Amino acid sequence: MRTSVSELINLRSRLSRAHWCGCFSCTDRELIEAVRATGSTEIGVVGLFLATRYALESFDTSHAA
């Protein structure tokens, strides 16, 4: 399946949310929070937000020194 980064997530559809949660490896709640935080339902914007948040959360500062 090909998607465009400007494709939109349909938050009113559980099937759409479940599909994108699977693609982003996130929970339904995390997906909704990402949409609220970004103010966007565009796949590219939400995906970048979730990827960046995951990277920051998994960054271990004890190895950074």
Side-chain angles (χ1 to χ4, degrees):
M1 175 179 94
R2 289 187 76 172
T3 61
S4 168
V5 294
S6 62
E7 187 174 339
L8 301 178
I9 300 167
N10 180 357
L11 291 180
R12 292 185 176 149
S13 167
R14 280 205 263 171
L15 185 58
S16 177
R17 289 194 322 263
H19 170 75
W20 293 115
C21 286
C23 288
F24 294 136
S25 298
C26 67
T27 65
D28 192 55
R29 183 178 180 169
E30 290 170 325
L31 179 67
I32 291 169
E33 288 174 0
V35 167
R36 285 184 182 148
T38 61
S40 177
T41 57
E42 287 186 26
I43 298 304
V45 174
V46 175
L48 181 60
F49 176 85
L50 288 169
T52 303
R53 189 175 86 183
Y54 175 76
L56 290 172
E57 288 174 352
S58 64
F59 183 69
D60 185 356
T61 57
S62 64
H63 291 108

